[in-house]
Amino acid sequence: MADCSLTDGPLSPARLASLPADIARPGYDRDAVRTGILHLGPGAFHRAHQAAFTEDCLAAGETAWGILGASLRSAGTRDALAPQDFLYTLALREGGREALRVVGALRGILAGADAPRAVLAALDDPAIRIVTLTITERGYGCDVARGELDEGDADVAHDLAAPDAAPRSVPGLLAASLWRRRRAGIAPFTLLSCDNLAGNGRVLHAAVTRMAARRDRGFGDFVAAEVACPSSMVDRIVPATTAEDRARIAARLGCADAAPVVGEPFAEWVIEDRFPTGRPGWERAGARFVTDVAPHERRKLRLLNGAHTMLATIGPGLGCATVAEAVAHERLSPVLARFWAEMAATLPAETDAAAYCARLRARFGNTALRHELAQIALGSAQKLPQRILLPCLERWRAGRASPVLIAVIAAWLRGAAAGGDPLDGLARREVFAADEWRAPPLRGMIAEECGAMARQGLAARLDALCRAPD
């Protein structure tokens, strides 16, 4: 370990040659890299996942695929990385091992109040052939459950009313850019969503097509027919970076990195192979290209993301702060097994859910990653419908009981109610979009579970659920 302090200056291109030998770094000429990808939402997950896959392509000589990041909200990542020429460290941790890699794929970040106009100007460049996104469910300006543009959203409404003004929504930005490129005779870019949304490409395509059609019917037809929006499934656990992480990584580097990212060694990326203007060879880093990503995304969304939401909803009430603590908890561990059993029944047999869940349990138990339940719980109102409500509805329609899924919903409602009537949440269409949630049978089940939790307490209620017959 290098002997240094955080005052030794920032990570920079000039420091790469002097890094310790066990730290991987760009072996290619970064000055020869051209920007071919614009990424919306250059947060920790993107930098630990898609940018790391792209780094392997650059290292193999595919120099046309550098990444320009863009944040329409916060300038924090740009401000942290700009003094480092947008270099950053990826730390992959498991057990007592930590492998460090300095990534050079990110060539810059556009951010701040002027970002929309700067992004539009950048997207005028024919060299930009792919736009990737990690903007979370909320960023799509959609009613995700219906796969439709939410025209009542304030930012979407602004862009519909003033299509030539600086866009405020992501669908508005993308439609405006495609309009400009079409007028200039530039082929449209491919839009690749990397968010945890079922049918993420389909959702994105519907939103941008509707935005385009509201501007001009012929333009809407063009976007519908000519703009490729392949779906993808992404997987890597990336907890928030802590001050302790930054100090430990700086000590290894011998210099300070203002914005390193930490993740697990495991990474998966499954992508529908529809890229009319070309793509990097992401398969070099292990990505899989398929004709239909739906089976992969459904398995991951329900078994991994759904389990994360379950643990983040129930774990804090049992004193757990991290995923690893929750998985090891004597009461939560059997609940997790029961949760996975209920979810697995909603998936086709070829999914091999048992093997997938066994691998997930090992990943969740990685104590080298401090994956905070509070971090996972952020935005839970947007996550709950796809991860918990829809599979519960499917089981109910099939005549199957879902005691653990109902318990997660009840626990979430009790937390969201903050002392009020938990069932008031059932009236909020943005969370409970399906009419069945207001029907007496399911409403009664949820009400009964809310009451049982209030009477028995969370721990005793979980014990009772695990003793109930399947």
Side-chain angles (χ1 to χ4, degrees):
M1 183 176 289
D3 181 15
C4 74
S5 74
L6 294 180
T7 61
D8 290 337
L11 177 66
S12 68
R15 288 182 178 268
L16 291 177
S18 61
L19 294 177
D22 64 338
I23 297 175
R25 70 212 73 186
Y28 54 89
D29 180 3
R30 291 184 79 218
D31 291 335
V33 172
R34 291 169 292 150
T35 302
I37 300 169
L38 188 140
H39 181 81
L40 295 172
F45 184 81
H46 165 70
R47 293 188 290 123
H49 192 275
Q50 299 96 42
F53 277 79
T54 304
E55 182 77 357
D56 283 348
C57 298
L58 297 177
E62 295 189 68
T63 56
W65 298 108
I67 301 170
L68 174 64
S71 173
L72 304 186
R73 302 289 186 235
S74 170
T77 302
R78 179 202 63 189
D79 294 346
L81 290 179
Q84 304 176 183
D85 196 26
F86 299 96
L87 294 168
Y88 64 91
T89 311
L90 172 59
L92 301 181
R93 308 192 72 199
E94 186 173 39
R97 300 183 300 277
E98 181 174 57
L100 300 188
R101 178 187 195 181
V102 176
V103 176
L106 195 59
R107 307 301 294 133
I109 297 177
L110 304 174
D114 295 330
R117 293 196 183 280
V119 173
L120 284 174
L123 287 173
D124 288 343
D125 185 350
I128 299 292
R129 288 181 277 165
I130 300 174
V131 176
T132 53
L133 304 90
T134 50
I135 55 175
T136 75
E137 293 93 332
R138 186 176 296 178
Y140 285 79
C142 288
D143 180 331
V144 174
R146 292 178 172 79
E148 299 174 355
L149 186 69
D150 181 3
E151 299 186 21
D153 176 88
D155 290 339
V156 169
H158 168 273
D159 294 345
L160 289 170
D164 293 319
R168 294 181 185 174
S169 72
V170 168
L173 172 72
L174 296 174
S177 176
L178 289 164
W179 173 265
R180 289 159 62 108
R181 286 174 73 107
R182 187 183 186 212
R183 289 175 61 121
I186 303 169
F189 38 66
T190 296
L191 292 171
L192 179 61
S193 171
C194 301
D195 280 298
N196 288 318
L197 295 172
N200 53 20
R202 183 181 67 253
V203 170
L204 179 60
H205 190 255
V208 178
T209 298
R210 176 62 176 168
M211 183 69 73
R214 285 289 307 275
R215 179 170 191 149
D216 178 89
R217 181 175 297 178
F219 179 46
D221 292 342
F222 169 80
V223 171
E226 302 296 333
V227 177
C229 294
S231 288
S232 76
M233 186 278 288
V234 296
D235 190 3
R236 171 168 264 167
I237 296 173
V238 182
T241 304
T242 66
E244 180 184 352
D245 292 328
R246 286 189 287 273
R248 185 186 64 255
I249 291 166
R252 289 275 306 277
L253 292 174
C255 57
D257 184 343
V261 289
V262 177
E264 63 174 337
F266 178 90
E268 188 175 23
W269 198 4
V270 184
I271 313 167
E272 291 175 350
D273 200 359
R274 293 188 289 116
F275 293 81
T277 56
R279 62 167 177 81
W282 282 313
E283 59 268 39
R284 294 177 183 275
R288 284 186 290 163
F289 287 90
V290 298
T291 56
D292 182 13
V293 78
H296 304 276
E297 70 178 13
R298 187 181 176 98
R299 179 185 66 178
K300 190 252 181 176
L301 193 65
R302 296 191 174 188
L303 298 179
L304 188 155
N305 301 115
H308 269 167
T309 294
M310 183 275 286
L311 295 173
T313 299
I314 295 176
L318 297 175
C320 299
T322 69
V323 171
E325 290 174 9
V327 169
H329 193 280
E330 61 180 359
R331 283 194 167 95
L332 263 179
S333 182
V335 174
L336 177 60
R338 183 69 178 260
F339 174 90
W340 274 332
E342 291 182 9
M343 281 292 194
T346 71
L347 300 171
E350 57 267 27
T351 298
D352 195 7
Y356 186 80
C357 290
R359 192 161 59 245
L360 280 182
R361 188 176 282 275
R363 292 171 61 195
F364 285 4
N366 183 357
T367 56
L369 296 180
R370 187 168 176 82
H371 198 185
E372 301 278 353
L373 296 177
Q375 178 193 2
I376 295 169
L378 293 173
S380 59
Q382 284 73 43
K383 299 171 183 175
L384 200 76
Q386 292 191 85
R387 299 182 183 186
I388 308 294
L389 305 186
L390 181 58
C392 189
L393 272 174
E394 290 174 7
R395 288 179 61 87
W396 179 65
R397 290 166 180 159
R400 295 189 179 116
S402 305
V404 171
L405 297 184
I406 291 289
V408 175
I409 296 164
W412 184 86
L413 284 171
R414 283 170 54 79
D421 179 3
L423 295 184
D424 284 347
L426 290 175
R428 296 189 293 176
R429 288 191 65 84
E430 71 271 20
V431 179
F432 296 91
D435 290 340
E436 290 94 327
W437 289 106
R438 292 184 293 281
L442 276 174
R443 188 180 181 90
M445 292 181 207
I446 298 167
E448 184 177 350
E449 186 57 46
C450 286
M453 285 186 177
R455 292 190 306 272
Q456 299 175 24
L458 181 61
R461 189 62 196 146
L462 294 178
D463 288 345
L465 290 172
C466 290
R467 290 195 301 269
D470 291 337

